[in-house]
Amino acid sequence: MDRLDNTIRPYAWGSTTAIPQLLGVEPTGEPQAEMWMGAHPGAPSRSDRGTLVEIIAADPERELGAAAVAKFGPGLPFLLKILAAGGPLSLQVHPNLEQAKEGYADEERRGIPVDAPHRNYKDANHKPELICALTEFDGLCGFRDPARAADLLAGLGVDSLKPYVDLLHAHPEEAALREVLTAVLSADREEMAHTVTAAAAACARLGGEYAPYADIAHHYPGDPGVIAAMLLNHVRLQPGEALFLGAGVPHAYLNGLGVEIMANSDNVLRCGLTPKHVDVPELLRIVRFEPSDPGVLRPEASPDGEEVYETPIDEFRLSRYVLPTGGAAHDLTRETPQILLCTAGSVRAGEHELRPGQSVFVPAGEKAEVSGSGTVFRATVVA
């Protein structure tokens, strides 16, 4: 197995302290948002054998296993991250596989450069994802019941929000949500900025369930995404709890440290809370306008001590082992590729001693045994 050297991405919303604290190093003072583990060409993990992209390309079947290559192709199907949100990420949604293929082909046909700021589809893949909290973790996930969203907006006492309140009460659920999100994102920017400013002041004054939106508005003053965010469920995960984000579900991470895993894709359509491109017509084509419960996931324990976060897709499978002091070693050998990530304590993986934030890549079929006292997350595929 390969000890991994991983890139930390300094996005502006990142925490300045959470990843350094996990790694046991001094903060630099700069935001450290994500640490990537995998074979994404934007920031592949490195080892003594080269980058993970180079290692896999040299012999895909040896590294990934024949079943995984047959099912997903000759690349690692997932990207594993440590995510540290010091402030809200953009409000966003991801396409399903068919939409991604269509959107990518259309933008290729129109000759839009893949790095163009108005490009929506960087690849032809979908991007389901799972976030598992390492600390208390706040996020937005899926639409509220429209009547509940209407009550929340009405409670602000802002006259310019009344048309949205009326829409949410007057239509069937899907139509109500579609009309309001369309109206918010298509409104005159200057008028909407005044509405958001008034709403933000009311959120700060009222506190309680309005407090998360006051904080969002603090980071993104005047952004229409502040009102769009109030249409969504607010959820606070406790350590060990997780959220699965499927295609078409609007969401945003707000604050906290977590382990994130996703299909190996960059496809994001933004709804707000960002200076980046918002393609409203394409966004409305992708969003699933249906109220839903956030669906907090808790791991399901198996007799061998593996705790699995069950999801409906095969590109990734995330689980964890909480290893007690003096406990028996666990054999994790599997005929699919794996990344093992330590998040607490001290864990021995093969010949490697792992401290929090350290990880290894395990080729398919390679002997993989873990022991020690701590927590190790296991990322692999279902093939």
Side-chain angles (χ1 to χ4, degrees):
M1 62 180 71
D2 298 273
R3 179 71 159 269
L4 297 179
D5 179 19
N6 304 303
T7 297
I8 295 176
R9 309 306 293 261
Y11 306 136
W13 50 260
S15 168
T16 58
T17 58
I19 288 179
Q21 185 175 354
L22 179 73
L23 298 176
V25 300
E26 286 296 315
T28 65
E30 298 298 318
Q32 298 188 0
E34 297 179 347
M35 184 168 75
W36 289 20
M37 291 157 281
H40 192 286
S45 298
R46 301 168 299 280
S47 79
D48 291 341
R49 293 196 288 155
T51 70
L52 209 47
V53 169
E54 294 165 343
I55 291 168
I56 291 170
D59 194 345
E61 288 206 2
R62 165 70 187 88
E63 303 296 335
L64 305 178
V69 172
K71 189 168 186 176
F72 305 112
L76 190 67
F78 64 83
L79 176 63
L80 183 67
K81 300 179 181 179
I82 292 174
L83 183 145
L89 282 67
S90 62
L91 192 60
Q92 59 189 257
V93 69
H94 306 303
N96 63 31
L97 189 56
E98 182 180 351
Q99 290 164 340
K101 289 178 177 177
E102 290 175 354
Y104 180 78
D106 175 63
E107 291 185 326
E108 286 288 282
R109 187 167 51 249
R110 289 190 283 143
I112 301 174
V114 74
D115 58 352
H118 63 290
R119 174 107 184 199
N120 293 315
Y121 298 94
K122 305 298 177 64
D123 53 68
N125 199 13
H126 63 164
K127 193 188 177 188
E129 60 189 47
L130 176 79
I131 183 76
C132 176
L134 294 178
T135 64
E136 272 199 348
F137 194 97
D138 281 85
L140 304 172
C141 178
F143 286 110
R144 297 176 183 269
D145 176 89
R148 180 72 192 92
D151 291 343
L152 195 70
L153 292 176
L156 294 173
V158 176
D159 288 344
S160 53
L161 290 175
K162 190 175 185 304
Y164 305 138
V165 173
D166 292 341
L167 280 171
L168 288 167
H169 281 308
H171 291 276
E173 291 182 339
E174 290 79 4
L177 293 168
R178 177 181 286 275
E179 287 198 36
V180 172
L181 185 63
T182 303
V184 167
L185 297 182
S186 304
D188 178 85
R189 294 288 296 201
E190 187 172 339
E191 291 181 7
M192 179 54 68
H194 289 303
T195 296
V196 172
T197 299
C203 286
R205 183 180 70 252
L206 293 167
E209 65 179 334
Y210 290 99
Y213 306 101
D215 185 64
I216 291 169
H218 171 74
H219 285 88
Y220 296 98
D223 192 303
V226 174
I227 306 303
M230 298 185 74
L231 302 176
L232 306 186
N233 298 297
H234 174 250
V235 60
R236 174 165 292 169
L237 301 178
Q238 297 303 310
E241 295 180 335
L243 287 175
F244 173 73
L245 290 313
V249 177
H251 61 278
Y253 302 144
L254 303 180
N255 188 271
L257 181 70
V259 173
E260 185 182 35
I261 190 168
M262 61 189 64
N264 202 11
S265 170
D266 266 344
N267 287 327
V268 176
L269 287 118
R270 295 174 178 85
C271 318
L273 311 183
T274 178
K276 296 182 180 179
H277 177 60
V278 176
D279 184 336
V280 175
E282 185 64 9
L283 173 72
L284 297 175
R285 189 177 78 88
I286 299 302
V287 172
R288 285 166 48 195
F289 288 97
E290 54 190 50
S292 63
D293 184 273
V296 174
L297 293 177
R298 296 171 182 86
E300 298 184 14
S302 61
D304 68 352
E306 185 180 27
E307 300 177 345
V308 181
Y309 294 91
E310 297 288 353
T311 65
I313 52 93
D314 294 342
E315 281 88 345
F316 60 77
R317 177 184 184 273
L318 186 71
S319 62
R320 69 174 185 176
Y321 288 82
V322 180
L323 306 173
T325 302
H330 294 268
D331 184 0
L332 274 56
T333 307
R334 189 178 175 95
E335 294 303 317
T336 52
Q338 304 181 74
I339 292 178
L340 306 180
L341 165 67
C342 176
T343 59
S346 177
V347 174
R348 186 169 186 84
E351 70 274 24
H352 301 285
E353 290 285 348
L354 302 181
R355 297 288 180 179
Q358 296 180 334
S359 57
V360 293
F361 172 69
V362 186
E366 191 79 16
K367 177 72 173 176
E369 191 173 83
V370 296
S371 59
S373 175
T375 300
V376 61
F377 279 82
R378 176 197 213 184
T380 186
V381 302
V382 180

